[in-house]
Amino acid sequence: MAGSGVFEGIKEGEVFKYYTDGEWKNSTSGKSVAIINPTTRTTQYKVQACTQEEVNKVIESSKIAQKQWAKTPLWKRAELLHKAAAILKEHKAPIAECLVKEIAKPAKDSVTEVVRSGDLISYCAEEGVRILGEGKFLVSDSFPGNERTKYCLTSKIPLGVVLAIPPFNYPVNLAVSKIGPALIAGNSLVLKPPTQGAVACLHMVHCFHLAGFPKGLISCVTGKGSEIGDFLTMHPGVNCISFTGGDTGIAISKKAGMVPLQMELGGKDACIVLEDADLDLAAANIIKGGFSYSGQRCTAVKVVLVMESVADTLVEKVNAKLAKLKVGPPEEDCDITPVVSESSANFIEGLAKDAKTKGATFCQEYKREGNLIWPVLLDHVRPDMRIAWEEPFGPIIPVIRINSVEEGIHHCNASNFGLQGCVFTKDINKAILISDAMETGTVQINSAPARGPDHFPFQGLKDSGIGSQGITNSINMMTKVKSTVINLPTPSYTMG
Ligand code: NAP
């Protein structure tokens, strides 16, 4: 039960508290934000609506805690992270329950998200010890005109206060993908969780509390992004922003000050299927890649570009698999569960209606009950339909039939997004040439797009993001290089 047992202190009455200075507190606003269960469409939880004054205090104590933390030996930081990871995994069940209730994630996937997050934190600790434990040593006489009179020592130092804003679809995993690298690198961290997913995040933060991290080092402020988001992202006390979400990220990058930004934004991941592809493999990956968590993944397959000559066979195979997907509540571990909100369901429905009006072939009848949308494959989609370009973030996949590889690549590259893409072919040389031609951060050959494993570099081009993530890249991004130069007297050639 969320908020019970070891998590007792994080809630008072009906409302979950926010976390600052090592304590769980109620906001002075006296206001709360409701979290709507996507399945029942009733209020499931409530969190504090933090005020700007509270944000100021959180950032102030975060700043103070960071100074001390930066001096804490790396191995000690790693030790605490390992401890938090173990506590998180130990409490996977109540945290997963929050994910089921808040974001309608299927029960098993919810547990997987928490366990994966624990593994991510531990990997950050190990990787951080390795990459932050070494620096560079340079000598001056390798640059023209210089004698060997300067020795330069470089090391990586923390940035200060890192602001982490994850999205609803992987609230725990995408929060720790920021928290782990920030903390091991000697930063403090302020988390603004997504409203849907906030209670799972508060439970996760409590695991860091139980691990014994110093007061103020990690904080969690709750409230609607539309209300406290700008105040947080434009706050002069924030030294780095790591954001994952949709177009909001583009707006933040225009408003934020001169601080390093890590932006993981939307995608329209294309799946190109060639004539020589293993069509069973492609169909299985379109189902897994397109419909896992009801398509609410940045790396979901969001458009299939298939060669006309094999399109009928592929569509038939995908439809056969699609018919086996179980549709229903997340508690029953169904494959397709209600999408996160009514407005999200309405948006998906709008894309479906637009495609219908413009003549797309619905391979299944469109069906919706509340936020639950039955999975649907749309064949014969054309570029004049919105679904050809927009990210539905739901269980609906458009199929565009192409007559050449170039046509597929052209469609992929004409998108504003450039997150991932995938290609199915048995010809590895062709696959590599297509990968080179696709303007996306990653191309998967013979598998669906995917973020993990979490230590792989992960990045989007164009409107899909700024910077590169993955554990090693995130640790590096959350540090700055510091040089110390030792100046020696002019060498005496008579010496030695
Ligand atoms: P979203 O609406 O952009 O929200 C993301 C986060 O931003 C939430 O925590 C939200 O808080 C907060 N927020 C809202 N307004 C804000 C503001 N003015 N300033 C600061 N923060 C603000 O995205 P979403 O619907 O949660 O997630 C879906 C999107 O995320 C999709 O586009 C998906 O592709 C993308 N995504 C990308 C990746 C990737 O790695 N590239 C991974 C996962 C998801 P509230 O919830 O309180 O509004």
Side-chain angles (χ1 to χ4, degrees):
M1 182 83 175
S4 63
V6 74
F7 296 106
E8 200 70 59
I10 75 172
K11 188 181 176 193
E12 190 172 289
E14 275 205 294
V15 190
F16 282 87
K17 299 180 180 179
Y18 76 103
Y19 186 67
T20 180
D21 246 338
E23 285 178 35
W24 291 96
K25 291 189 182 162
N26 289 316
S27 168
T28 54
S29 72
K31 291 186 191 152
S32 63
V33 179
I35 295 167
I36 310 296
N37 181 321
T39 312
T40 63
R41 295 195 290 157
T42 57
T43 299
Q44 181 72 43
Y45 304 122
K46 285 181 186 168
V47 292
Q48 304 291 328
C50 290
T51 64
Q52 295 189 350
E53 192 44 45
E54 282 156 355
V55 167
N56 282 336
K57 282 193 184 146
V58 160
I59 291 177
E60 197 45 44
S61 53
S62 190
K63 223 191 254 181
I64 295 166
Q66 191 271 329
K67 299 273 181 251
Q68 201 51 41
W69 182 243
K71 292 182 198 147
T72 304
L74 201 41
W75 68 266
K76 277 196 185 173
R77 291 186 222 158
E79 202 172 68
L80 276 173
L81 282 168
H82 280 302
K83 207 168 161 195
I87 296 171
L88 186 72
K89 284 186 180 179
E90 190 187 328
H91 298 295
K92 59 181 185 286
I95 302 174
E97 187 193 322
C98 300
L99 293 174
V100 170
K101 302 280 188 231
E102 283 183 287
I103 59 165
K105 183 166 280 193
K108 270 192 201 147
D109 294 350
S110 295
V111 173
T112 304
E113 175 169 346
V114 182
V115 173
R116 171 184 176 186
S117 301
D119 291 340
L120 196 160
I121 297 168
S122 290
Y123 196 101
C124 284
E126 287 160 21
E127 184 70 346
V129 164
R130 278 185 220 116
I131 64 172
L132 299 167
E134 61 180 37
K136 260 189 169 181
F137 169 59
L138 294 99
V139 289
S140 51
D141 63 342
S142 54
F143 197 86
N146 281 270
E147 298 291 337
R148 202 180 182 86
T149 53
K150 292 173 189 288
Y151 290 171
C152 178
L153 305 171
T154 73
S155 62
K156 287 174 187 147
I157 57 165
L159 298 175
V161 177
V162 174
L163 171 65
I165 307 182
F168 82 83
N169 63 342
Y170 287 87
V172 175
N173 184 259
L174 291 173
V176 303
S177 76
K178 305 169 189 317
I179 297 171
L183 295 187
I184 191 65
N187 300 288
S188 57
L189 187 125
V190 176
L191 172 67
K192 194 326 254 173
T195 295
Q196 300 291 140
V199 174
C201 281
L202 291 169
H203 282 69
M204 173 272 293
V205 166
H206 194 55
C207 296
F208 283 81
H209 171 83
L210 294 172
F213 277 85
K215 283 182 179 185
L217 193 69
I218 173 164
S219 327
C220 186
V221 288
T222 51
K224 280 193 182 153
S226 52
E227 281 165 23
I228 55 164
D230 283 357
F231 191 72
L232 274 162
T233 53
M234 293 163 77
H235 200 288
V238 166
N239 305 111
C240 169
I241 302 173
S242 179
F243 176 91
T244 309
D247 288 351
T248 319
I250 297 176
I252 292 173
S253 62
K254 289 180 182 148
K255 288 184 245 177
M258 207 173 75
V259 297
L261 300 178
Q262 192 176 41
M263 291 283 161
E264 310 180 302
L265 311 182
K268 184 72 183 172
D269 297 7
C271 170
I272 301 182
V273 184
L274 304 191
E275 284 121 332
D276 70 340
D278 175 339
L279 296 181
D280 289 310
L281 180 72
N285 275 278
I286 289 166
I287 291 289
K288 183 170 161 274
F291 294 113
S292 296
Y293 187 35
S294 309
Q296 297 172 113
R297 296 165 53 246
C298 58
T299 53
V301 168
K302 293 186 185 127
V303 58
V304 175
L305 301 159
V306 56
M307 292 296 282
E308 178 70 64
S309 57
V310 292
D312 285 345
T313 316
L314 181 75
V315 166
E316 197 180 303
K317 285 179 189 291
V318 174
N319 280 331
K321 290 182 191 299
L322 191 151
K324 292 186 187 145
L325 294 177
K326 207 172 142 202
V327 182
E331 287 83 354
E332 289 172 23
D333 223 18
C334 291
D335 302 299
I336 304 294
T337 55
V339 296
V340 72
S341 64
E342 190 174 347
S343 61
S344 183
N346 291 344
F347 176 77
I348 298 162
E349 187 161 301
L351 292 179
K353 278 186 179 159
D354 174 79
K356 183 132 213 158
T357 317
K358 291 175 182 160
T361 306
F362 278 59
C363 299
Q364 294 74 25
E365 197 188 332
Y366 175 78
K367 191 175 161 194
R368 171 181 170 187
E369 277 173 18
N371 294 353
L372 187 60
I373 294 176
W374 270 250
V376 55
L377 192 70
L378 304 186
D379 198 359
H380 302 286
V381 165
R382 292 189 320 265
D384 63 322
M385 300 175 189
R386 285 175 56 205
I387 189 83
W389 306 103
E390 295 181 39
E391 185 186 28
F393 234 57
I396 176 166
I397 304 184
V399 177
I400 298 180
R401 293 168 176 239
I402 52 173
N403 291 302
S404 68
V405 175
E406 289 71 22
E407 197 184 329
I409 293 170
H410 175 77
H411 185 91
C412 167
N413 292 351
S415 170
N416 288 340
F417 294 117
L419 192 59
Q420 287 212 0
C422 63
V423 53
F424 286 85
T425 172
K426 291 186 187 128
D427 184 338
I428 190 68
N429 292 339
K430 216 184 243 181
I432 288 173
L433 290 174
I434 292 171
S435 170
D436 280 351
M438 284 170 84
E439 292 167 3
T440 58
T442 303
V443 175
Q444 304 270 351
I445 296 172
N446 291 325
S447 189
R451 184 191 176 91
D454 289 320
H455 66 307
F456 278 13
F458 180 72
Q459 53 280 315
L461 308 184
K462 301 188 271 185
D463 285 354
S464 289
I466 301 176
S468 177
Q469 296 86 42
I471 291 169
T472 313
N473 286 347
S474 292
I475 295 173
N476 282 328
M477 182 268 171
M478 292 177 185
T479 60
K480 216 177 164 104
V481 172
K482 166 91 186 257
S483 301
T484 300
V485 181
I486 303 165
N487 288 276
L488 303 170
T490 311
S492 153
Y493 295 103
T494 56
M495 271 177 77

